[in-house]
Amino acid sequence: MVETLQKGKGKLLVSNSLDAKDELEEKFERCMSMVTSLINGLSEREANDALTAFVCKGPLQHEETCLGLLTIILLDPSQAQKCYRDLALVSRDGMNIILMKINHILMEKYLKLQDTARSQLVWLVRELVKSAVLGADGVCMTLMKQIAGGDVTQKNIWLAESVLDILIDQRDWVLKSGLLIAMAVYTYLRLIVDHHGTPQLLALRQKEVEFCNTLLREKFMDCFMIGRDLVRLLQNVARIPEFELLWKDLLHNPPALSPQFTGILQLLQSRTSRKFLACRLTPDMETKLLFMTSRVRFGQQKRYQDWFQKQYLSTPDSQSLRCDLIRYICGVVHPSNEVLSSDILPRWAIIGWLLTTCTSNVAASNAKLALFYDWLFFSPEKDSIMNIEPAILVMHHSMKPHPAITATLLDFMCRIIPHFCPALESHVRQGVVNSLTFIVEKRVLAFSAAALVSSNMLKTYRHLSPLFDNPKLDKELRAMLRDKFPEFCSSPSPPVEVKVEEAVSLEMENSIIDKEDNCYDSTEAAFSDDEEELNNKGKKREFRFHPIKETIIEEPADITPYLDQLDESLKDKVLLLQKASDMEAQCQMMQDIVDQILEDDFDSDQLSTVASCLQELFKAHFHGEVLPEEITEESLEESVGKPLYLIFRNLCQMQEDNSGFSLLLDLLSELYQKQPKIGYHLLYYLKASKAAAGKMSLYESFAQSTQLGDLHTCLMMDMKACQEDDVRLLCYLTPSIYTEFPDETLRSGELLNMIVAVIDSSQLQELVCQVMMGNLTMFRKDSVLNILIQSLDWETFEQYCTWQLFLAHSIPLETIIPILQHLKYKEHPEALSCLLLQLRREKPTEEMVKMVLSRPCHPDDHFTTSILRYWCMKHDDQLSEHIKSLLIKNNSLPRKRQSLRSSSSKLAQLTLEQILEHLDNLRLNLTNTKQNFFGQTPILQALQHVQASCDEAHKMRFSDLFALAEDYEDCSKPSKNRRKGAASSPRSRKNAAQPINTEEESGSSSASEEEDTKPKATKRKRKGSSAVGSDSD
């Protein structure tokens, strides 16, 4: 066992060769080595004595022993039971160290744990619970936090079921902790909504239902501490029979649940604690959200929102997660006044974005309820203004750029009052009125304060007419608002009031008006109205975020707030860097700063402060174009001589196992959080600098060190930022990016879409040349079909660029011909026209012909007819053989199987009827031409074969087509005289087209003439006749 672990076969965390060694994992392995060296070769009793003696030496030895045994438990299931006994024996602090480390792993390392370590961690928690270790309930709650909502992947379901089994098996222990009871009920009530569909999920759901129902009935007052969100969760599951009975007791018989419980109003008036709202987000989700609300500037959030959506909100099941996120933002994320007054991304912008990503009506309704939930029973004495502020700000800030969002929220606010709980309608209305009153009193909205300068100050102060009486809302909604909330609406002339308010607020909000126009940056027009849809039709790029244009007034860098956080030596260097006037002096000072960071005694806690100083001092580096106008070796070297690039240069000169290497990566990671453009600047340096030749893999180490921690995500975000800032640089980087990171770029069309969305015709031509010179590969066989299918939703020019780039590669057309099954003539004209022009350059293969004939027949779709006609002219022999083969193959299938095959698949399937329809269209198209394609032997033989076995309906429908086969059949029937005479032969095609009675009268003479003049044709017809002779007979 010891040798196996020491060889590294059972690593704790998932990592690759480029990852820096994790400090926790390194410490665990060191402790494990120490423990194994102590007990190696000893009997169990001797090992216990050795461990006990070592533990007694001091606290450090005690910690190392505990951590070493913990590591063996996580890595080697066969030794887990024995090591747990040893751990219980030698622990001197009631397992406190173990509990702390498990919590640390769960909060920060769980996603990186190897599968074995995950399952062993759950096993260990089960053992701790069975042993009733003090503090095990806290570990259980942390473990429950890792069960993600809106996620039905196998690993997440396994975790949910494993934790539930622990709670069910150790029920007596669970009942001793009121907080654990409440947390478990809150968690599994929420998860029940996600678990439906498959038998496995339904079985788990039933266990969850029984578990929650039992605890709610037996320990209701412990569950009561959840507060009003308990009602929200119960509403979502109220249709389940067990909860339906509970719901009835909740409404009509409260004492049945607890003598202290007076009714549902008591529960709804109790505010939900933050710890419950936070428990439904995994630590990773929570970290990302807190990062966005505390570090990301308003206007730069698009890339972070895209990443978050891709990671957590991209599946249909994730619709339910939006409620958890909105409740968390409203109830937990309460920024300080300093953050509120800064340019940090506000909460309302994130919530507005989440609302626009809802793709179902149920999810949208639940999300709106989550947003307004604290309004319904709001009490200024008990509740916080921060809980209700996001909803009013979403409505206020959306009025100008997204009036439909404001309208749908105001409509929801009005309608929820009578419908939430009819018996409590008056309480709900009072709660909403209390919320609005408190909002006005606290002057949450900008126009409330601005309006005080008007002549009627008090009156304006007391109403919300700029929001409720806004002309952008339809009349019915304004009338409903006036009816529901007359005290907040102005007296009769709303238009005048609105004009005054808008004029004043324009002055006050001038600085953020551009930001509001792009506040959500969602690609889904979930709340856009008809007029917007009409105006924006065909303009998919209109909503793309354009960075706010900063006023071109270079303000002096202000690093005063950060200087006091630096030690004296570093502070002096930073000040000298600020004062340096020329580039050379700045570079020298920057190198001095890097050298000090690399010193052994440098305090790494200062990295964030250093990054803030550098970002402020070098902000000019991130304005304007990076790439020189004229690209030469000299100009490129000059462009990478900026002081900030010295960090890149030092990284390139260091070995990855150097301790300074990880320090500089950490510095870059801090810089990246403050200035995301640093990512594509690093890519540019690695491509342009001679000193970085062959070092492009350094970018992967950088990506792993960032908060994103993922190469693909980081690369896509950086290329997106580059696309928005500098298209020339994007094109310059493209060959290197595709060459160095093929697995990240070639497996999907994400990067390709970024490129074709912004390039012009000259840049397209340059990329085509790069492909043909062998410097760039943008497609590979295993993924090209999927990428081309993805491109069908792109803009017209983007699709044409994509096809041009594809055609520059030497990929056989057979690789992508199945795309024909996805193409509809009205929706995909770009792809059809490009494919048509490419097909005309190819000789038809049977697979090509099959795919072409698989297209549904439509009077306006001429794709199949046009390519078949072209092949008739150029490759008639090959085409006729392929059509013959396909006709005979499909004719041999039973009709019932054909219909089942065509109806059971979403993609088009080739049927006999389709082939005949397309051939009939081709026949009509060739009617007035000299082309005699339908006179060829293979076509006639195949038609004859089909005619012999098809039903009367098909014979009638395609009678003109089968007439050719009948003529051929008649002319190929041998008479008795012919059978006796070896010299007889069938008639020519010309005679075969004459009326039947004429043929019979002149049969022998015409046959003789044909034999003399065209002996080759005679030979071919005999061969064909023998092939279908049985059908003719």
Side-chain angles (χ1 to χ4, degrees):
M1 179 272 293
V2 174
E3 291 176 359
T4 303
L5 294 176
Q6 286 177 342
K7 287 178 184 176
K9 291 181 181 177
K11 292 187 68 177
L12 184 66
L13 305 178
V14 176
S15 62
N16 57 43
S17 57
L18 294 173
D19 285 338
K21 191 72 173 177
D22 186 87
E23 289 182 12
L24 181 70
E25 185 176 22
E26 205 168 27
K27 182 177 181 179
F28 274 30
E29 288 178 356
R30 190 169 61 249
C31 294
M32 181 185 69
S33 298
M34 184 274 301
V35 169
T36 51
S37 65
L38 273 177
I39 63 175
N40 204 11
L42 301 180
S43 67
E44 187 170 345
R45 183 167 183 175
E46 291 171 336
N48 287 339
D49 292 342
L51 289 173
T52 304
F54 187 75
V55 163
C56 292
K57 290 182 179 180
L60 180 62
Q61 289 78 7
H62 174 257
E63 181 181 358
E64 288 177 344
T65 305
C66 290
L67 295 185
L69 291 169
L70 170 62
T71 309
I72 298 173
I73 291 171
L74 294 179
L75 297 184
D76 189 358
S78 64
Q79 297 289 322
Q81 196 69 53
K82 174 184 176 300
C83 287
Y84 182 75
R85 288 199 304 270
D86 292 341
L87 189 59
L89 180 69
V90 302
S91 177
R92 296 287 183 270
D93 62 353
M95 298 272 196
N96 191 47
I97 289 175
I98 299 299
L99 295 174
M100 286 171 58
K101 288 301 174 186
I102 292 176
N103 270 322
H104 179 68
I105 292 171
L106 286 172
M107 291 300 290
E108 297 186 17
K109 307 292 181 184
Y110 182 80
L111 294 180
K112 290 187 176 182
L113 282 180
Q114 296 276 13
D115 289 346
T116 301
R118 283 193 191 192
S119 59
Q120 284 303 107
L121 187 62
V122 173
W123 178 88
L124 179 57
V125 172
R126 181 187 294 272
E127 293 302 309
L128 291 169
V129 170
K130 283 166 67 175
S131 304
V133 173
L134 188 65
D137 54 343
V139 171
C140 265
M141 287 186 272
T142 309
L143 188 58
M144 279 193 289
K145 188 175 173 66
Q146 280 292 356
I147 308 171
D151 180 359
V152 291
T153 57
Q154 193 60 41
K155 286 184 179 180
N156 197 57
I157 294 301
W158 168 81
L159 181 60
E161 190 158 17
S162 299
V163 176
L164 182 61
D165 288 340
I166 293 174
L167 298 174
I168 292 173
D169 293 344
Q170 305 301 319
R171 188 171 181 277
D172 292 339
W173 174 82
V174 171
L175 295 179
K176 294 175 184 177
S177 171
L179 181 59
L180 180 59
I181 291 170
M183 200 68 78
V185 167
Y186 189 88
T187 297
Y188 283 97
L189 270 181
R190 164 64 189 84
L191 293 175
I192 287 170
V193 177
D194 296 332
H195 298 161
H196 57 84
T198 66
Q200 180 196 2
L201 289 178
L202 290 174
L204 172 58
R205 174 177 174 158
Q206 188 56 38
K207 285 168 67 175
E208 292 167 337
V209 168
E210 291 171 1
F211 173 75
C212 292
N213 186 56
T214 303
L215 286 182
L216 280 165
R217 286 198 172 276
E218 294 181 8
K219 293 286 183 178
F220 184 79
M221 290 314 291
D222 287 321
C223 300
F224 183 89
M225 74 170 76
I226 295 172
R228 62 175 65 115
D229 275 82
L230 175 60
V231 178
R232 182 176 63 85
L233 296 181
L234 284 171
Q235 280 179 306
N236 294 334
V237 297
R239 301 286 179 104
I240 297 173
E242 290 88 342
F243 290 123
E244 193 170 1
L245 295 172
L246 180 75
W247 188 251
K248 288 179 180 176
D249 286 341
L250 195 69
L251 290 174
H252 307 300
N253 189 19
L257 299 174
S258 171
Q260 291 94 14
F261 183 50
T262 60
I264 195 170
L265 181 61
Q266 181 189 4
L267 189 55
L268 287 167
Q269 289 175 337
S270 173
R271 179 180 169 187
T272 298
S273 170
R274 291 184 177 193
K275 56 179 170 280
F276 293 107
L277 299 177
C279 82
R280 282 297 71 238
L281 268 64
T282 65
D284 191 56
M285 291 180 200
E286 197 169 5
T287 301
K288 299 297 187 297
L289 268 185
L290 291 174
F291 176 79
M292 282 197 281
T293 54
S294 62
R295 307 288 286 276
V296 176
R297 290 182 177 177
F298 189 28
Q300 296 180 353
Q301 72 269 25
K302 177 69 164 63
R303 65 203 309 246
Y304 300 100
Q305 289 174 350
D306 288 346
W307 184 91
F308 195 93
Q309 182 162 2
K310 182 179 178 182
Q311 189 78 3
Y312 298 114
L313 302 173
S314 58
T315 64
D317 297 299
S318 65
Q319 292 290 321
S320 61
L321 179 60
R322 287 161 174 79
C323 298
D324 301 332
L325 295 171
I326 291 172
R327 293 298 296 141
Y328 178 84
I329 292 169
C330 291
V332 180
V333 182
H334 291 174
S336 64
N337 288 333
E338 183 183 0
V339 172
L340 289 173
S341 60
S342 69
D343 62 350
I344 296 297
L345 180 65
R347 297 186 298 162
W348 63 262
I350 300 178
I351 290 174
W353 161 67
L354 288 171
L355 290 172
T356 61
T357 61
C358 292
T359 56
S360 76
N361 292 333
V362 173
S365 296
N366 288 337
K368 285 180 276 189
L369 179 61
L371 179 60
F372 282 105
Y373 203 62
D374 287 313
W375 288 51
L376 306 184
F377 296 90
F378 182 80
S379 169
E381 293 78 24
K382 297 178 183 177
D383 294 295
S384 168
I385 185 68
M386 299 300 283
N387 290 35
I388 60 173
E389 179 216 53
I392 196 72
L393 288 181
V394 171
M395 294 188 285
H396 172 61
H397 289 288
S398 302
M399 182 62 83
K400 184 178 181 295
H402 304 284
I405 292 180
T406 303
T408 192
L409 291 176
L410 287 171
D411 180 76
F412 182 86
M413 184 179 73
C414 292
R415 296 182 188 277
I416 196 67
I417 294 173
H419 293 110
F420 177 76
C421 182
L424 300 176
E425 181 179 351
S426 61
H427 290 88
V428 175
R429 188 188 184 284
Q430 188 58 51
V432 175
V433 170
N434 288 345
S435 301
L436 293 171
T437 303
F438 208 46
I439 285 166
V440 171
E441 287 176 359
K442 294 296 181 183
R443 303 182 185 180
V444 172
L445 299 185
F447 62 72
S448 295
L452 291 174
V453 301
S454 67
S455 57
N456 196 351
M457 288 191 291
L458 183 60
K459 192 173 183 180
T460 306
Y461 170 71
R462 292 197 180 281
H463 70 64
L464 295 168
S465 64
L467 184 63
F468 287 1
D469 291 332
N470 199 294
K472 290 189 176 183
L473 305 176
D474 62 54
K475 291 181 180 179
E476 289 183 6
L477 179 56
R478 279 187 281 168
M480 182 161 59
L481 287 165
R482 192 174 280 276
D483 177 58
K484 296 282 185 185
F485 310 108
E487 60 268 58
F488 297 102
C489 295
S490 61
S491 53
S493 111
V496 176
E497 293 285 350
V498 170
K499 286 179 182 176
V500 172
E501 292 297 343
E502 286 185 349
V504 176
S505 67
L506 275 174
E507 267 181 54
M508 293 196 63
E509 297 178 12
N510 194 36
S511 62
I512 62 167
I513 195 165
D514 288 335
K515 294 183 182 182
E516 289 182 7
D517 286 342
N518 297 288
C519 56
Y520 303 140
D521 293 312
S522 171
T523 58
E524 299 182 34
F527 289 92
S528 62
D529 55 24
D530 295 337
E531 187 178 349
E532 275 184 332
E533 295 241 347
L534 196 61
N535 293 336
N536 292 330
K537 192 174 183 182
K539 298 181 182 177
K540 295 182 185 177
R541 296 277 154 201
E542 282 298 316
F543 49 75
R544 186 174 61 227
F545 172 72
H546 301 286
I548 301 159
K549 294 180 180 178
E550 299 175 13
T551 312
I552 312 299
I553 299 174
E554 282 298 332
E555 297 180 2
D558 180 17
I559 57 173
T560 311
Y562 312 113
L563 290 175
D564 293 337
Q565 301 173 40
L566 300 173
D567 61 38
E568 287 303 318
S569 175
L570 196 55
K571 179 179 178 180
D572 294 341
K573 289 183 174 66
V574 171
L575 285 171
L576 287 172
L577 177 62
Q578 184 181 26
K579 292 173 184 176
S581 55
D582 61 283
M583 189 76 75
E584 188 175 346
Q586 286 181 338
C587 287
Q588 182 57 51
M589 292 312 306
M590 186 66 212
Q591 185 61 52
D592 291 345
I593 291 172
V594 171
D595 290 340
Q596 181 163 344
I597 290 172
L598 295 177
E599 291 177 1
D600 292 338
D601 59 348
F602 178 74
D603 182 5
S604 59
D605 291 340
Q606 296 187 82
L607 284 177
S608 179
T609 309
V610 174
S612 298
C613 292
L614 296 179
Q615 186 267 333
E616 187 68 25
L617 290 173
F618 296 131
K619 57 187 176 185
H621 284 11
F622 303 103
H623 298 311
E625 295 186 349
V626 179
L627 198 63
E629 193 64 36
E630 185 179 352
I631 300 176
T632 63
E633 285 189 14
E634 293 78 14
S635 63
L636 288 174
E637 279 302 315
E638 185 180 349
S639 70
V640 295
K642 298 174 181 177
L644 192 60
Y645 287 7
L646 273 166
I647 303 173
F648 305 158
R649 183 183 301 174
N650 279 272
L651 274 171
C652 291
Q653 293 169 352
M654 301 174 86
Q655 297 296 325
E656 292 190 9
D657 56 358
N658 190 317
S659 60
F661 184 82
S662 60
L663 261 179
L664 289 184
L665 279 182
D666 289 341
L667 176 60
L668 276 184
S669 177
E670 292 290 341
L671 263 171
Y672 190 60
Q673 291 180 32
K674 302 171 191 341
Q675 177 49 268
K677 296 181 183 182
I678 199 79
Y680 72 76
H681 279 260
L682 174 59
L683 286 169
Y684 172 65
Y685 178 84
L686 295 174
K687 161 121 177 156
S689 174
K690 289 181 181 178
K695 297 278 189 178
M696 188 62 83
S697 59
L698 178 66
Y699 178 81
E700 187 166 354
S701 301
F702 161 73
Q704 298 288 353
S705 71
T706 63
Q707 287 247 346
L708 300 172
D710 174 61
L711 173 60
H712 179 78
T713 305
C714 196
L715 182 62
M716 292 304 116
M717 284 188 166
D718 290 339
M719 295 304 282
K720 183 67 176 173
C722 181
Q723 178 221 42
E724 292 172 350
D725 290 349
D726 191 343
V727 177
R728 284 182 66 240
L729 179 59
L730 178 73
C731 295
Y732 175 75
L733 292 176
T734 293
S736 296
I737 300 302
Y738 272 97
T739 303
E740 296 292 337
F741 308 111
D743 291 337
E744 311 305 325
T745 54
L746 296 175
R747 66 185 181 187
S748 75
E750 192 173 352
L751 178 57
L752 178 64
N753 190 16
M754 288 183 208
I755 295 167
V756 297
V758 292
I759 58 174
D760 58 25
S761 52
S762 62
Q763 289 162 336
L764 171 63
Q765 192 262 343
E766 177 59 28
L767 289 176
V768 169
C769 291
Q770 292 291 333
V771 171
M772 297 187 71
M773 289 191 296
N775 299 330
L776 173 60
T777 301
M778 303 180 81
F779 299 97
R780 63 184 179 196
K781 287 185 180 180
D782 62 345
S783 58
V784 60
L785 180 59
N786 286 334
I787 291 176
L788 289 177
I789 291 171
Q790 289 175 33
S791 73
L792 299 177
D793 294 326
W794 301 351
E795 294 290 348
T796 293
F797 183 72
E798 295 169 14
Q799 290 193 52
Y800 281 132
C801 289
T802 302
W803 280 94
Q804 291 288 313
L805 291 167
F806 164 73
L807 295 177
H809 292 70
S810 300
I811 297 177
L813 196 64
E814 286 87 345
T815 308
I816 59 109
I817 196 69
I819 197 176
L820 265 176
Q821 294 182 306
H822 298 266
L823 302 182
K824 299 176 182 177
Y825 76 98
K826 281 187 177 180
E827 297 175 24
H828 308 122
E830 302 91 347
L832 282 169
S833 58
C834 291
L835 199 55
L836 184 62
L837 294 175
Q838 187 61 16
L839 281 170
R840 73 193 296 269
R841 300 176 187 170
E842 305 280 336
K843 286 187 178 181
T845 64
E846 184 171 331
E847 183 63 20
M848 285 183 192
V849 176
K850 179 182 177 181
M851 288 295 169
V852 166
L853 290 172
S854 295
R855 291 187 58 72
C857 290
H858 192 281
D860 297 329
D861 183 6
H862 303 300
F863 179 90
T864 301
T865 304
S866 58
I867 190 59
L868 289 178
R869 178 191 168 95
Y870 181 83
W871 281 338
C872 284
M873 304 295 184
K874 300 292 183 181
H875 312 287
D876 56 342
D877 290 342
Q878 293 99 316
L879 181 61
S880 60
E881 289 293 343
H882 295 323
I883 289 179
K884 172 187 173 182
S885 173
L886 292 169
L887 271 171
I888 291 175
K889 282 179 185 176
N890 280 272
N891 189 50
S892 63
L893 287 174
R895 296 289 180 267
K896 185 176 288 185
R897 189 184 301 173
Q898 283 194 32
S899 63
L900 284 173
R901 184 179 66 173
S902 61
S903 63
S904 64
S905 172
K906 292 181 180 178
L907 297 178
Q909 296 284 351
L910 184 61
T911 63
L912 179 64
E913 187 171 346
Q914 271 182 307
I915 302 176
L916 294 174
E917 280 187 286
H918 286 305
L919 287 178
D920 206 32
N921 289 337
L922 180 62
R923 178 187 63 79
L924 292 171
N925 187 266
L926 296 174
T927 299
N928 298 321
T929 66
K930 295 181 180 179
Q931 174 64 31
N932 196 21
F933 177 73
F934 285 96
Q936 292 193 83
T937 301
I939 296 294
L940 294 171
Q941 289 172 348
L943 289 174
Q944 178 190 22
H945 188 276
V946 172
Q947 184 188 22
S949 58
C950 72
D951 54 33
E952 289 301 320
H954 281 84
K955 286 180 182 178
M956 289 290 292
R957 183 176 175 186
F958 303 109
S959 57
D960 292 338
L961 198 58
F962 287 134
L964 303 172
E966 289 170 2
D967 294 344
Y968 176 75
E969 183 182 18
D970 288 339
C971 74
S972 64
K973 280 184 181 178
S975 64
K976 290 180 182 179
N977 293 333
R978 280 192 202 133
R979 290 180 184 177
K980 291 177 182 178
S984 301
S985 65
R987 286 160 295 198
S988 67
R989 294 176 187 173
K990 183 178 179 181
N991 290 332
Q994 294 173 356
I996 293 173
N997 56 354
T998 310
E999 281 186 293
E1000 289 174 347
E1001 288 173 8
S1002 58
S1004 58
S1005 61
S1006 63
S1008 303
E1009 288 173 14
E1010 184 67 23
E1011 190 175 42
D1012 293 335
T1013 57
K1014 294 186 180 179
K1016 289 182 181 178
T1018 305
K1019 188 174 180 182
R1020 283 179 67 192
K1021 291 239 177 161
R1022 276 183 185 154
K1023 186 177 179 182
S1025 179
S1026 65
V1028 292
S1030 61
D1031 287 328
S1032 300
D1033 293 337

